[in-house]
Amino acid sequence: MFFNKVLEGLPDPIFGLGEMFRADVRENKIDLVVGIYKDEELRMQLMPSVKKAKEQILTQDLAVDYLPIDGLRSFCDEIGRLAFGDERWKVHHGRIYAAQTLGGTGSLQIGTAFLAQEISKEAVLSNPTWANHSAIFQRAGCKTSFYPYYSKVLHGIDLEVLFAFLKTLPEKTIVLLHEVCHNPTGCDFSQEQWRALSLLMQKHKLIPFFDCAYHGLGDGLDLDRLGLEIFLDDGHEMIVSYSCSKNFSLYCQRVGALFIVGENAAIKMRVGSQVKRIIRSLYSNPPAHGARIAAHVLQEIDLKKQWVEDLGAMRYRLATARKCLIQHLSHFAPEFDVSFLQRQKGMFSLLDLDKSQTSALIAKFGIYLPENGRISLTGLSPQNTAAVAQGVATVMRGF
Ligand code: LMR
C-alpha cells in the first residue's frame, strides 16, 4: 500500500481549536478563537456595503473566461490605492508590481516563494506572531527564527532589545512586519518607532515584508498605513501582503493582493514575470467573484463611503468589547492590573495567560481561546463578557 506510513499531522492551533469548539456540546460554551468579525449578537455577516456590491455584481453579465495569471487589474489598482494611499500610489505605482492572490495567506505564500527563489531564504518573525507565519515561510524553503517583539514585563514592545537583535542579522534577512493590529498582541509601533525601524533596516539592508491583514480596524484607513508610508518614502524595496478577509468580510471568497515595490519600472516588469511563473504553476490564475466585489465597493463613490462607515462601526464594536472586558476583569480580579489591555489595538487582545490557564478555561468553563492567551474580541457580547471575565479571573488566581 502507498499511504499506510503517513503520520497524522498536528491540528492547526487556530482552526483546529475552532473544530473542537464546534464539537463541544456544552450550551454555555464561548468561542474566542478565530479572528472573524461578529456583531454584538455574535452574528457573522457581510458588511452592508459589501452585500450591496455583491447584489449589484450579480446583475451584471460578466466575462466567464480565465482572469490573467495575476488577477483582475481593476482590483489590483484599487487595492494598491487603498494600501499605499491615493497620492503615493499615483507617484509610485509605476514601480510597484501587484497581483491578486488567494487571500492574505496566498499572498504571503507567493511573496515568500518569490523571495526564496530570487533573493533570500532567511526570515525572522515577531515573537509572538500569527500561528501560520512560520509554516508559510518554511514551506517555501525559508529558515525562520524569531525577533524579540512583545515583552510580557512591559506589556508592550521592547524596542531596545528588538533593535539590538535586528542589528545582528545578516544582510538580506527578510523581516516580517505586521502593518497594524499586530496578531496576537495588539501592540503596534508608534510613528516614531516606525521611522527608527525604517532607518535601521535600511542601514542593515534587511528586507521588509509587511503583512497587512487588518487595514482599517486599528485607527482607521489613513492612520493604519503609517508604517508602510514611512518605508515607501524612505525608498525601501519591499513586499506587502494585503488581505481583504477582515476589512471586506470576504473571508471565504479568498481575496487578497501581493505588492512588490522595486526601484523602477524595469525591475517591476522582471519581478512580475517571475511571480506569474510561480502563480501559474500553483493554481494558474485566481477566481474572479470576490475580487470583483471588492473592486466594485472601491470604484463606486457611494458604496466606498458606506464601506468606510461600516469599518468605523466595526472599530467601535471592537473598542466597546475591549472596554467592557477590562471593566469586568477589574471587577472580578481587582488585584491584577489589566490596564495594559487598553493599549492593544484591533481584533485581538492578548491576556496574561499561559497554556495551563487557557487549557483550564476550555476544560472547566467552555471558554475557547488559543494557548497563547489571545482572544478574538468579536467573540465577546454584552451577555457573555462577565462570564469570560469571571473564568479568566479564576484561572489568573491559579484555579
Ligand atoms: C486568526 O488569526 O484567527 C485569523 O487570521 C484567521 C486565521 O486564518 O488564522
Side-chain angles (χ1 to χ4, degrees), residues 155-169:
H155 290 119
I157 305 168
D158 192 338
L159 209 65
E160 231 173 89
V161 179
L162 164 64
F163 279 16
F165 176 85
L166 292 178
K167 285 177 190 164
T168 66
L169 294 174

Side-chain angles (χ1 to χ4, degrees), residues 4-36:
N4 57 355
K5 292 220 173 72
V6 176
L7 301 177
E8 188 173 342
L10 290 172
D12 182 76
I14 296 173
F15 285 166
L17 204 55
E19 280 169 31
M20 259 176 76
F21 174 81
R22 283 189 286 281
D24 190 327
V25 293
R26 283 175 286 183
E27 263 180 23
N28 59 350
K29 63 184 179 174
I30 296 172
D31 180 6
L32 306 176
V33 182
V34 186
I36 295 182

Side-chain angles (χ1 to χ4, degrees), residues 12 14-15 33-36 105 130-132 183 213-214 246 254 348 374:
D12 182 76
I14 296 173
F15 285 166
V33 182
V34 186
I36 295 182
T105 305
W130 179 47
N132 208 14
N183 179 2
Y214 298 90
K246 277 85 177 176
R254 309 310 299 138
F348 304 113
R374 182 195 88 169

